[in-house]
DNA sequence: GTGAAAGCGCTAACAC
DNA sequence: GTGTTAGCGCTTTCAC
């Protein structure tokens, strides 16, 4: 790779001049500029971003720290992040933490060493104390961190109420909930939303509430447990789409039908929810947009070195598909 | 962030000495070393990888250029890559190209500027001429590039034969193929494998062959087209799992049953194939391992500045699940 | 064993 | 308008 010095020499000017024309900073005679540009093209010169970074302590790079890129929710998010980043001339470093605290800490350290300009973070183990001495802007996705960091979240509580009420409206008379891991805020909020709607019902009992870990398999197991209980359950609100998919499978494996015997609704609105059989009703978060917004937010903090945080809480929406279309109560 | 100079000053030594103890290069008196280490810990010092990179032209970073992180195949691959990379002290930059040539070229240029040490590439538009002047090691995934680049691929042709024969063995008497985009090698090989098995059959006709683009939707449409033709089709080999999922849906929507009326088999072995209803039979590639191997390969080339390429072609395996379990012919 | 200093490729004062 | 030069934070000869 050619260096700025080679360009300067070949163009018969100083490195400063080359730098000026490259960055459009300072005045340069039209003529000189053209000459330089010509050599630049000829030598196929591009500035070393490493050297640039060393100067201005900026890397035009943002870190994206996720629990699991294999989870469609995060993959869609990542795609959104990458898209905006690229458009704005930023590069994204992907870090997969598997939800492991030590791994997150390691990644964070590496990101700092690499002078990333900002970090988009989705973690449920990290607390504010872990990152308070980190002076790189961070925005948190999916949860707020003590109100100390900018965040992009969505209305989990309201969404859960929406889901539960939808089941009710569809004629379900005994609605169970497969809650996500309670160390994750979204899971707690969704549980609260569910409880807010059902807890005063004559039929509500603790046995309608089981826990999973947001993965398919636990949705499957939880559903088996629910349906094998003595109570006749005719509606399941799964804490996320992945567990809902597991639920669908479990119901099917018991020889029951969705939605005739048991209606199912998920949460998230991942792309895969519309390809299950039957298609899954869900509370959709604007996942891709969350990625875009998070990136816009972090870029805003980076570029304008904003000090104050912003908190975005996005709306969710009910997507009604076949898994809750009970004919008997269709409206 | 503390610099090496601060550490040196506080420890009462020169920066060279600090550098020596940090990198375990050269001899340092035990005593001095301890002193330095103490200050390092005290100041929470970590070397700036930018500065290091500027020196040795290495960034301990690899670029991963993928068409679409949202596609489970690539997500699983990415996870494998990230895992090895991290273990070996490397960071991965994620680039999403959407299969767009210009986008790939842009990303490649950025990666070069950032001094990434190597690139793992999955592209079907890039040709060798695009990258021949790039002197960073590259390994190609999913296809070979004129034998000029190391590659990690799997046995697509054999896998396709396996799939088709499996359908035959299950008693299918008219097997259709939904081929992937023919600009993609894997899709061509799979088509060839299918043809090799069926083209001499008494029942084979062109109408049994339709094309999709490896996405769910086209699998759906292709299947509709197939099943609406006059021929009675009782087996479908979809070019990949995503299209197979679309196929499942289409069959279901026509009121037919899988596998009783039509057996379906996919290709890839993405995690999602085992959660469809019915579960999808497929030819599994060792996706995660491909990620691992690609990373090992690129790291090998980086660390040992290997000049000669290596070509890995991994085996695939038949995973028989419910979508091909025709009872009438079970063995 | 340890330090001084050059240099990685670039930007930004500061001169002229 | 353009050139000179001092860093950015580090590694690495080369002396001592």
């Amino acid at each position: 790779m050619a260096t700025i010095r080679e360009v300067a020499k070949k163009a018969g000017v100083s490195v400063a001049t080359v730098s000026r024309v490259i960055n459009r900073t300072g005045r340069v005679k039209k003529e000189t500029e053209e000459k330089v540009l010509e050599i630049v093209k000829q030598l196929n010169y591009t500035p070393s971003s490493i050297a640039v970074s060393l100067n201005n302590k900026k890397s035009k790079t943002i870190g994206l720290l996720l629990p699991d890129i294999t989870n469609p929710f995060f993959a869609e998010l990542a795609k959104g992040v990458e898209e905006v980043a690229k458009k704005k001339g930023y590069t994204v470093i992907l870090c997969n933490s598997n939800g492991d605290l030590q791994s997150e800490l390691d990644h964070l350290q590496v990101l700092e060493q690499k002078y990333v300009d900002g970090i988009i973070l989705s973690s449920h183990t990290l607390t504010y104390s872990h990152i308070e001495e980190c002076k790189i802007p961070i925005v948190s996705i999916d949860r707020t961190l003590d109100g100390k960091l900018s965040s992009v979240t969505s209305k989990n509580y309201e969404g859960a109420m929406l889901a539960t009420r939808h089941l009710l409206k569809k004629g379900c008379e005994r609605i169970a909930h497969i809650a996500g891991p309670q160390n994750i805020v979204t899971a707690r909020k969704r549980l609260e939303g569910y409880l807010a709607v059902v807890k005063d019902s004559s039929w509500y009992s603790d046995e309608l509430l089981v826990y999973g870990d947001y993965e398919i398999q636990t949705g499957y197991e939880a559903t088996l447990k629910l349906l094998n209980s003595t109570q006749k359950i005719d509606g399941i609100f799964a804490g996320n789409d992945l567990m809902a998919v597991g639920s669908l499978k479990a119901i099917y494996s018991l020889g029951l039908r969705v939605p005739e015997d048991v209606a199912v609704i998920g949460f998230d609105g991942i792309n895969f929810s519309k390809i299950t059989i039957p298609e899954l009703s869900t509370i959709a978060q604007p996942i891709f947009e969350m990625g875009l917004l998070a990136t816009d937010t972090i870029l805003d903090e980076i570029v304008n070195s904003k000090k104050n945080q912003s908190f975005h809480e996005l709306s969710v929406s009910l997507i009604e598909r076949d898994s809750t279309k009970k004919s008997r109560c269709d409206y």
Side-chain angles (χ1 to χ4, degrees), chain A:
Chain A
M1 249 169 69
T3 75
I4 197 173
R5 223 190 314 278
E6 298 176 49
V7 176
K9 190 151 102 191
K10 194 148 188 174
V13 299
S14 74
V15 294
T17 302
V18 177
S19 177
R20 284 187 192 105
V21 350
I22 296 289
N23 303 300
R24 313 196 167 299
T25 156
R27 299 151 299 274
V28 178
K29 208 200 299 175
K30 190 109 196 159
E31 216 169 284
T32 339
E33 176 173 349
E34 281 165 4
K35 177 69 181 167
V36 169
L37 254 18
E38 190 193 317
I39 307 291
V40 163
K41 170 159 288 178
Q42 188 178 317
L43 260 44
N44 191 23
Y45 167 77
T46 41
S48 151
S49 25
I50 293 291
V52 173
S53 294
L54 189 56
N55 269 292
N56 51 207
K57 270 95 163 27
K58 298 241 171 282
S59 60
K60 285 279 194 174
T61 300
I62 63 181
L64 178 59
L65 184 47
L66 261 26
D68 181 12
I69 190 64
T70 263
N71 179 322
F73 177 81
F74 294 115
E76 291 173 29
L77 205 61
K79 194 172 178 180
V81 170
E82 221 271 345
E83 188 163 310
V84 185
K86 184 176 187 216
K87 195 175 305 169
K88 301 289 181 64
Y90 282 74
T91 291
V92 1
I93 290 185
L94 172 68
C95 304
N96 227 72
S97 69
N98 297 313
D100 173 57
L101 178 62
Q102 191 53 52
S103 176
E104 291 174 336
L105 260 16
D106 292 347
H107 274 126
L108 244 25
Q109 157 140 205
V110 171
L111 291 176
E112 238 185 318
Q113 276 180 229
K114 285 201 188 294
Y115 288 177
V116 299
D117 301 335
I119 295 175
I120 295 177
L121 176 73
S122 180
S123 161
H124 292 279
T125 48
L126 240 31
T127 62
Y128 182 67
S129 64
H130 289 299
I131 46 182
E132 57 185 338
E133 75 248 14
C134 170
K135 45 222 128 326
I136 302 172
I138 300 184
V139 356
S140 168
I141 282 203
D142 232 28
R143 71 182 271 223
T144 56
L145 260 111
D146 306 358
K148 302 283 185 43
L149 254 38
S150 288
S151 59
V152 175
T153 55
S154 63
K155 295 197 189 296
N156 290 288
Y157 179 78
E158 292 79 357
M161 292 183 62
L162 203 56
T164 314
R165 288 213 183 99
H166 174 66
L167 252 19
L168 238 27
K169 191 148 37 183
K170 286 308 186 178
C172 294
E173 299 178 334
R174 191 159 253 125
I175 302 171
H177 178 46
I178 306 177
Q182 294 300 296
N183 60 318
I184 300 187
V185 240
T186 59
R188 288 199 300 273
K189 299 262 181 162
R190 292 171 196 179
L191 170 54
E192 283 168 23
Y194 160 76
L195 287 176
V197 174
V198 306
K199 70 167 181 298
D200 294 331
S201 304
S202 56
W203 48 262
Y204 180 70
S205 93
D206 284 356
E207 290 164 34
L208 290 173
L209 179 57
V210 291
Y211 294 89
D213 68 359
Y214 269 174
E215 300 287 342
I216 293 170
Q217 184 60 25
T218 56
Y220 181 85
E221 289 157 7
T223 304
L224 250 29
K225 194 159 116 194
L226 282 172
L227 296 182
N228 284 330
S229 75
T230 51
Q231 321 184 39
K232 192 189 152 304
I233 288 165
D234 57 2
I236 294 181
F237 164 38
N240 73 350
D241 287 343
L242 253 23
M243 293 196 300
V245 167
S247 201
L248 250 28
K249 262 197 95 69
I251 296 168
Y252 174 82
S253 76
L254 290 175
L256 297 173
R257 304 179 38 169
V258 176
E260 292 80 353
D261 299 311
V262 187
V264 175
I265 186 167
F267 201 115
D268 274 354
I270 59 178
N271 286 152
F272 281 90
S273 65
K274 62 170 162 290
I275 56 109
T276 54
I277 298 178
E279 297 186 2
L280 186 66
S281 293
T282 189
I283 302 297
Q285 305 188 63
I287 309 179
F288 189 75
E289 286 70 24
M290 288 171 76
L292 302 184
L293 184 55
T295 315
D296 280 337
T297 305
I298 196 77
L299 255 26
D300 184 36
E301 296 194 13
I302 292 170
V303 175
N304 308 319
S305 35
K306 268 185 55 184
K307 283 277 152 283
N308 52 326
Q309 303 78 5
S310 47
F311 308 97
H312 305 276
E313 192 181 32
L314 304 188
S315 295
V316 296
S317 57
L318 169 68
I319 299 186
E320 181 178 357
R321 298 208 188 91
D322 295 339
S323 72
T324 56
K325 277 207 180 111
K326 301 206 173 201
S327 51
R328 57 173 163 165
C329 305
D330 252 10
Y331 47 170

Short mmCIF file of all heavy atoms in Angstrom, two decimals, chain A residues 114-161:
data_model
loop_
_atom_site.label_atom_id
_atom_site.label_comp_id
_atom_site.label_asym_id
_atom_site.label_seq_id
_atom_site.Cartn_x
_atom_site.Cartn_y
_atom_site.Cartn_z
N LYS A 114 -9.02 -0.78 20.82
CA LYS A 114 -9.07 -0.50 19.39
C LYS A 114 -9.63 0.88 19.09
O LYS A 114 -9.87 1.20 17.93
CB LYS A 114 -9.89 -1.58 18.67
CG LYS A 114 -9.16 -2.90 18.53
CD LYS A 114 -9.76 -3.72 17.41
CE LYS A 114 -9.20 -5.13 17.35
NZ LYS A 114 -7.77 -5.20 17.00
N TYR A 115 -9.86 1.63 20.12
CA TYR A 115 -10.37 2.99 19.94
C TYR A 115 -11.69 3.02 19.21
O TYR A 115 -11.91 3.92 18.39
CB TYR A 115 -9.38 3.83 19.11
CG TYR A 115 -8.11 4.22 19.80
CD1 TYR A 115 -7.12 4.92 19.11
CD2 TYR A 115 -7.88 3.92 21.13
CE1 TYR A 115 -5.93 5.29 19.73
CE2 TYR A 115 -6.69 4.28 21.74
CZ TYR A 115 -5.72 4.96 21.05
OH TYR A 115 -4.55 5.32 21.65
N VAL A 116 -12.56 2.05 19.42
CA VAL A 116 -13.85 2.18 18.74
C VAL A 116 -14.49 3.46 19.23
O VAL A 116 -14.29 3.89 20.36
CB VAL A 116 -14.80 0.98 18.99
CG1 VAL A 116 -14.20 -0.31 18.48
CG2 VAL A 116 -15.19 0.87 20.43
N ASP A 117 -15.26 4.08 18.37
CA ASP A 117 -15.83 5.37 18.71
C ASP A 117 -17.08 5.26 19.57
O ASP A 117 -17.45 6.19 20.27
CB ASP A 117 -16.17 6.14 17.43
CG ASP A 117 -14.94 6.35 16.57
OD1 ASP A 117 -13.83 6.36 17.13
OD2 ASP A 117 -15.08 6.49 15.35
N GLY A 118 -17.71 4.11 19.49
CA GLY A 118 -18.91 3.92 20.28
C GLY A 118 -19.26 2.45 20.34
O GLY A 118 -18.75 1.65 19.56
N ILE A 119 -20.13 2.12 21.27
CA ILE A 119 -20.49 0.72 21.44
C ILE A 119 -22.01 0.58 21.54
O ILE A 119 -22.66 1.36 22.24
CB ILE A 119 -19.83 0.15 22.71
CG1 ILE A 119 -18.31 0.15 22.56
CG2 ILE A 119 -20.35 -1.26 23.00
CD1 ILE A 119 -17.56 -0.29 23.80
N ILE A 120 -22.53 -0.37 20.82
CA ILE A 120 -23.94 -0.71 20.97
C ILE A 120 -23.97 -2.04 21.70
O ILE A 120 -23.32 -3.00 21.29
CB ILE A 120 -24.65 -0.82 19.61
CG1 ILE A 120 -24.65 0.55 18.93
CG2 ILE A 120 -26.07 -1.32 19.80
CD1 ILE A 120 -25.25 0.54 17.54
N LEU A 121 -24.73 -2.05 22.74
CA LEU A 121 -24.61 -3.12 23.71
C LEU A 121 -25.95 -3.76 24.00
O LEU A 121 -26.93 -3.08 24.26
CB LEU A 121 -24.08 -2.47 25.00
CG LEU A 121 -23.93 -3.31 26.23
CD1 LEU A 121 -22.74 -4.23 26.05
CD2 LEU A 121 -23.71 -2.41 27.44
N SER A 122 -25.97 -5.06 23.96
CA SER A 122 -27.15 -5.75 24.46
C SER A 122 -26.69 -6.78 25.45
O SER A 122 -26.14 -7.82 25.08
CB SER A 122 -27.92 -6.41 23.32
OG SER A 122 -29.05 -7.06 23.86
N SER A 123 -26.87 -6.46 26.69
CA SER A 123 -26.39 -7.37 27.73
C SER A 123 -27.35 -7.35 28.90
O SER A 123 -27.94 -6.33 29.22
CB SER A 123 -25.01 -6.92 28.21
OG SER A 123 -24.73 -7.49 29.46
N HIS A 124 -27.45 -8.49 29.56
CA HIS A 124 -28.31 -8.52 30.73
C HIS A 124 -27.54 -8.91 31.96
O HIS A 124 -28.11 -9.15 33.01
CB HIS A 124 -29.49 -9.45 30.48
CG HIS A 124 -30.41 -8.91 29.45
ND1 HIS A 124 -31.35 -7.95 29.72
CD2 HIS A 124 -30.48 -9.12 28.12
CE1 HIS A 124 -31.97 -7.62 28.61
NE2 HIS A 124 -31.47 -8.31 27.62
N THR A 125 -26.23 -9.00 31.80
CA THR A 125 -25.42 -9.35 32.95
C THR A 125 -24.58 -8.14 33.38
O THR A 125 -24.32 -7.95 34.55
CB THR A 125 -24.47 -10.50 32.59
OG1 THR A 125 -23.83 -10.19 31.36
CG2 THR A 125 -25.25 -11.78 32.40
N LEU A 126 -24.22 -7.34 32.40
CA LEU A 126 -23.43 -6.14 32.68
C LEU A 126 -24.26 -5.16 33.51
O LEU A 126 -25.44 -4.95 33.24
CB LEU A 126 -23.09 -5.49 31.35
CG LEU A 126 -21.64 -5.30 30.93
CD1 LEU A 126 -20.74 -6.40 31.47
CD2 LEU A 126 -21.56 -5.27 29.42
N THR A 127 -23.63 -4.56 34.51
CA THR A 127 -24.31 -3.50 35.23
C THR A 127 -23.55 -2.21 34.98
O THR A 127 -22.44 -2.23 34.45
CB THR A 127 -24.34 -3.77 36.75
OG1 THR A 127 -22.99 -3.81 37.20
CG2 THR A 127 -25.03 -5.09 37.04
N TYR A 128 -24.14 -1.12 35.40
CA TYR A 128 -23.52 0.16 35.11
C TYR A 128 -22.13 0.26 35.71
O TYR A 128 -21.22 0.86 35.13
CB TYR A 128 -24.39 1.32 35.59
CG TYR A 128 -23.79 2.65 35.25
CD1 TYR A 128 -23.67 3.05 33.93
CD2 TYR A 128 -23.28 3.49 36.25
CE1 TYR A 128 -23.08 4.24 33.59
CE2 TYR A 128 -22.69 4.69 35.92
CZ TYR A 128 -22.59 5.07 34.59
OH TYR A 128 -22.00 6.26 34.26
N SER A 129 -21.96 -0.35 36.87
CA SER A 129 -20.66 -0.25 37.53
C SER A 129 -19.54 -0.87 36.69
O SER A 129 -18.39 -0.47 36.80
CB SER A 129 -20.71 -0.93 38.90
OG SER A 129 -20.95 -2.31 38.74
N HIS A 130 -19.91 -1.84 35.86
CA HIS A 130 -18.89 -2.46 35.01
C HIS A 130 -18.35 -1.50 33.97
O HIS A 130 -17.26 -1.71 33.45
CB HIS A 130 -19.47 -3.67 34.26
CG HIS A 130 -19.75 -4.84 35.13
ND1 HIS A 130 -18.79 -5.48 35.85
CD2 HIS A 130 -20.91 -5.50 35.40
CE1 HIS A 130 -19.33 -6.49 36.52
NE2 HIS A 130 -20.62 -6.51 36.27
N ILE A 131 -19.15 -0.53 33.60
CA ILE A 131 -18.76 0.28 32.46
C ILE A 131 -18.66 1.76 32.77
O ILE A 131 -18.43 2.56 31.88
CB ILE A 131 -19.77 0.09 31.31
CG1 ILE A 131 -21.19 0.17 31.86
CG2 ILE A 131 -19.56 -1.24 30.64
CD1 ILE A 131 -22.23 -0.04 30.80
N GLU A 132 -18.78 2.11 34.03
CA GLU A 132 -18.80 3.54 34.29
C GLU A 132 -17.48 4.23 33.97
O GLU A 132 -17.46 5.39 33.58
CB GLU A 132 -19.26 3.86 35.72
CG GLU A 132 -18.47 3.23 36.81
CD GLU A 132 -19.10 3.51 38.17
OE1 GLU A 132 -19.85 4.49 38.29
OE2 GLU A 132 -18.85 2.75 39.13
N GLU A 133 -16.38 3.50 34.11
CA GLU A 133 -15.11 4.17 33.81
C GLU A 133 -14.76 4.13 32.33
O GLU A 133 -13.74 4.64 31.91
CB GLU A 133 -13.97 3.59 34.64
CG GLU A 133 -13.48 2.24 34.19
CD GLU A 133 -13.83 1.18 35.24
OE1 GLU A 133 -14.65 1.47 36.14
OE2 GLU A 133 -13.28 0.09 35.15
N CYS A 134 -15.62 3.49 31.56
CA CYS A 134 -15.40 3.45 30.12
C CYS A 134 -15.92 4.75 29.52
O CYS A 134 -17.08 5.10 29.66
CB CYS A 134 -16.16 2.26 29.54
SG CYS A 134 -16.24 2.21 27.74
N LYS A 135 -15.02 5.51 28.90
CA LYS A 135 -15.49 6.83 28.44
C LYS A 135 -15.94 6.87 26.99
O LYS A 135 -16.20 7.92 26.43
CB LYS A 135 -14.47 7.93 28.75
CG LYS A 135 -13.07 7.58 28.42
CD LYS A 135 -12.13 8.06 29.52
CE LYS A 135 -11.17 6.99 30.08
NZ LYS A 135 -11.55 5.64 30.19
N ILE A 136 -16.05 5.68 26.40
CA ILE A 136 -16.60 5.62 25.06
C ILE A 136 -18.13 5.66 25.17
O ILE A 136 -18.69 5.05 26.07
CB ILE A 136 -16.20 4.28 24.39
CG1 ILE A 136 -14.68 4.16 24.35
CG2 ILE A 136 -16.78 4.18 22.99
CD1 ILE A 136 -14.20 2.81 23.90
N PRO A 137 -18.78 6.40 24.28
CA PRO A 137 -20.24 6.40 24.31
C PRO A 137 -20.80 4.99 24.12
O PRO A 137 -20.28 4.22 23.31
CB PRO A 137 -20.63 7.28 23.11
CG PRO A 137 -19.40 7.99 22.70
CD PRO A 137 -18.23 7.27 23.23
N ILE A 138 -21.82 4.69 24.86
CA ILE A 138 -22.44 3.37 24.75
C ILE A 138 -23.95 3.56 24.64
O ILE A 138 -24.50 4.41 25.33
CB ILE A 138 -22.15 2.51 26.00
CG1 ILE A 138 -20.64 2.31 26.17
CG2 ILE A 138 -22.87 1.18 25.92
CD1 ILE A 138 -20.28 1.40 27.34
N VAL A 139 -24.60 2.83 23.78
CA VAL A 139 -26.05 2.79 23.88
C VAL A 139 -26.49 1.36 24.09
O VAL A 139 -25.93 0.43 23.53
CB VAL A 139 -26.82 3.49 22.71
CG1 VAL A 139 -25.90 4.16 21.73
CG2 VAL A 139 -27.82 2.59 22.06
N SER A 140 -27.45 1.24 24.97
CA SER A 140 -27.93 -0.07 25.36
C SER A 140 -29.20 -0.41 24.59
O SER A 140 -30.08 0.43 24.42
CB SER A 140 -28.20 -0.05 26.86
OG SER A 140 -28.91 -1.20 27.24
N ILE A 141 -29.27 -1.62 24.14
CA ILE A 141 -30.45 -2.06 23.42
C ILE A 141 -31.21 -3.04 24.28
O ILE A 141 -30.61 -3.87 24.96
CB ILE A 141 -30.05 -2.74 22.09
CG1 ILE A 141 -29.68 -1.67 21.06
CG2 ILE A 141 -31.14 -3.61 21.56
CD1 ILE A 141 -29.80 -2.13 19.65
N ASP A 142 -32.51 -2.92 24.28
CA ASP A 142 -33.36 -3.91 24.95
C ASP A 142 -33.53 -3.66 26.44
O ASP A 142 -34.36 -4.27 27.08
CB ASP A 142 -32.76 -5.31 24.76
CG ASP A 142 -33.79 -6.26 24.22
OD1 ASP A 142 -34.70 -5.78 23.53
OD2 ASP A 142 -33.71 -7.47 24.48
N ARG A 143 -32.69 -2.83 27.01
CA ARG A 143 -32.86 -2.50 28.42
C ARG A 143 -32.21 -1.16 28.71
O ARG A 143 -31.35 -0.69 27.97
CB ARG A 143 -32.23 -3.56 29.31
CG ARG A 143 -30.71 -3.54 29.27
CD ARG A 143 -30.11 -4.63 30.13
NE ARG A 143 -29.90 -4.21 31.49
CZ ARG A 143 -28.79 -4.48 32.19
NH1 ARG A 143 -27.82 -5.16 31.63
NH2 ARG A 143 -28.67 -4.10 33.43
N THR A 144 -32.62 -0.55 29.79
CA THR A 144 -31.99 0.69 30.20
C THR A 144 -30.98 0.33 31.28
O THR A 144 -31.13 -0.67 31.96
CB THR A 144 -33.02 1.67 30.80
OG1 THR A 144 -33.68 1.02 31.89
CG2 THR A 144 -34.05 2.06 29.76
N LEU A 145 -29.93 1.13 31.42
CA LEU A 145 -28.95 0.85 32.48
C LEU A 145 -28.93 2.00 33.47
O LEU A 145 -28.19 2.97 33.30
CB LEU A 145 -27.56 0.64 31.87
CG LEU A 145 -27.19 -0.84 31.73
CD1 LEU A 145 -27.14 -1.22 30.28
CD2 LEU A 145 -25.89 -1.12 32.44
N ASP A 146 -29.74 1.85 34.48
CA ASP A 146 -29.79 2.85 35.54
C ASP A 146 -30.02 4.26 34.98
O ASP A 146 -29.67 5.25 35.62
CB ASP A 146 -28.48 2.87 36.34
CG ASP A 146 -28.13 1.49 36.87
OD1 ASP A 146 -28.92 0.56 36.63
OD2 ASP A 146 -27.09 1.35 37.51
N GLY A 147 -30.54 4.35 33.79
CA GLY A 147 -30.76 5.69 33.23
C GLY A 147 -29.47 6.42 32.97
O GLY A 147 -29.44 7.61 32.71
N LYS A 148 -28.35 5.69 32.99
CA LYS A 148 -27.05 6.34 32.81
C LYS A 148 -26.59 6.28 31.37
O LYS A 148 -25.70 7.00 30.96
CB LYS A 148 -26.01 5.66 33.70
CG LYS A 148 -26.34 5.65 35.17
CD LYS A 148 -26.08 7.00 35.79
CE LYS A 148 -26.30 6.98 37.30
NZ LYS A 148 -25.76 5.83 38.00
N LEU A 149 -27.17 5.36 30.63
CA LEU A 149 -26.76 5.18 29.24
C LEU A 149 -27.96 5.42 28.33
O LEU A 149 -29.09 5.10 28.69
CB LEU A 149 -26.32 3.73 29.04
CG LEU A 149 -24.84 3.41 28.92
CD1 LEU A 149 -24.00 4.25 29.84
CD2 LEU A 149 -24.61 1.93 29.18
N SER A 150 -27.69 5.91 27.15
CA SER A 150 -28.78 6.01 26.18
C SER A 150 -29.29 4.61 25.91
O SER A 150 -28.55 3.63 26.01
CB SER A 150 -28.26 6.62 24.88
OG SER A 150 -28.00 7.98 25.07
N SER A 151 -30.54 4.53 25.56
CA SER A 151 -31.08 3.20 25.32
C SER A 151 -32.16 3.19 24.25
O SER A 151 -32.79 4.21 23.98
CB SER A 151 -31.65 2.62 26.61
OG SER A 151 -32.66 3.47 27.10
N VAL A 152 -32.31 2.06 23.66
CA VAL A 152 -33.39 1.82 22.70
C VAL A 152 -34.12 0.57 23.16
O VAL A 152 -33.55 -0.51 23.18
CB VAL A 152 -32.83 1.60 21.29
CG1 VAL A 152 -33.95 1.23 20.34
CG2 VAL A 152 -32.09 2.83 20.79
N THR A 153 -35.34 0.76 23.57
CA THR A 153 -36.11 -0.38 24.07
C THR A 153 -37.48 -0.34 23.41
O THR A 153 -37.77 0.56 22.63
CB THR A 153 -36.30 -0.28 25.59
OG1 THR A 153 -36.91 0.99 25.88
CG2 THR A 153 -34.98 -0.35 26.31
N SER A 154 -38.30 -1.30 23.74
CA SER A 154 -39.67 -1.18 23.25
C SER A 154 -40.66 -1.51 24.35
O SER A 154 -40.27 -1.94 25.44
CB SER A 154 -39.88 -2.03 22.00
OG SER A 154 -39.70 -3.37 22.29
N LYS A 155 -41.90 -1.27 24.09
CA LYS A 155 -42.91 -1.35 25.13
C LYS A 155 -43.28 -2.79 25.46
O LYS A 155 -44.28 -3.32 24.98
CB LYS A 155 -44.15 -0.57 24.70
CG LYS A 155 -43.91 0.94 24.56
CD LYS A 155 -45.22 1.69 24.54
CE LYS A 155 -45.05 3.16 24.19
NZ LYS A 155 -44.26 3.92 25.19
N ASN A 156 -42.47 -3.38 26.30
CA ASN A 156 -42.68 -4.77 26.65
C ASN A 156 -43.93 -5.01 27.49
O ASN A 156 -44.68 -5.94 27.26
CB ASN A 156 -41.45 -5.30 27.38
CG ASN A 156 -40.26 -5.44 26.46
OD1 ASN A 156 -40.23 -6.32 25.62
ND2 ASN A 156 -39.29 -4.54 26.59
N TYR A 157 -44.11 -4.15 28.43
CA TYR A 157 -45.26 -4.29 29.33
C TYR A 157 -46.57 -4.17 28.54
O TYR A 157 -47.43 -5.04 28.59
CB TYR A 157 -45.17 -3.23 30.42
CG TYR A 157 -46.30 -3.24 31.41
CD1 TYR A 157 -46.33 -4.19 32.44
CD2 TYR A 157 -47.33 -2.30 31.34
CE1 TYR A 157 -47.36 -4.21 33.36
CE2 TYR A 157 -48.36 -2.30 32.25
CZ TYR A 157 -48.38 -3.26 33.26
OH TYR A 157 -49.41 -3.26 34.16
N GLU A 158 -46.65 -3.10 27.79
CA GLU A 158 -47.86 -2.86 27.01
C GLU A 158 -48.07 -3.98 25.99
O GLU A 158 -49.19 -4.42 25.75
CB GLU A 158 -47.77 -1.52 26.28
CG GLU A 158 -47.81 -0.30 27.20
CD GLU A 158 -46.47 -0.02 27.89
OE1 GLU A 158 -45.51 -0.81 27.70
OE2 GLU A 158 -46.38 0.97 28.63
N GLY A 159 -46.98 -4.41 25.40
CA GLY A 159 -47.06 -5.47 24.41
C GLY A 159 -47.61 -6.75 25.01
O GLY A 159 -48.43 -7.45 24.40
N ALA A 160 -47.16 -7.04 26.20
CA ALA A 160 -47.62 -8.26 26.87
C ALA A 160 -49.10 -8.17 27.17
O ALA A 160 -49.86 -9.15 27.02
CB ALA A 160 -46.83 -8.48 28.16
N MET A 161 -49.54 -7.00 27.57
CA MET A 161 -50.97 -6.82 27.83
C MET A 161 -51.75 -7.02 26.53
O MET A 161 -52.79 -7.68 26.51
CB MET A 161 -51.24 -5.43 28.41
CG MET A 161 -50.67 -5.26 29.81
SD MET A 161 -51.06 -3.65 30.57
CE MET A 161 -52.84 -3.70 30.64
#
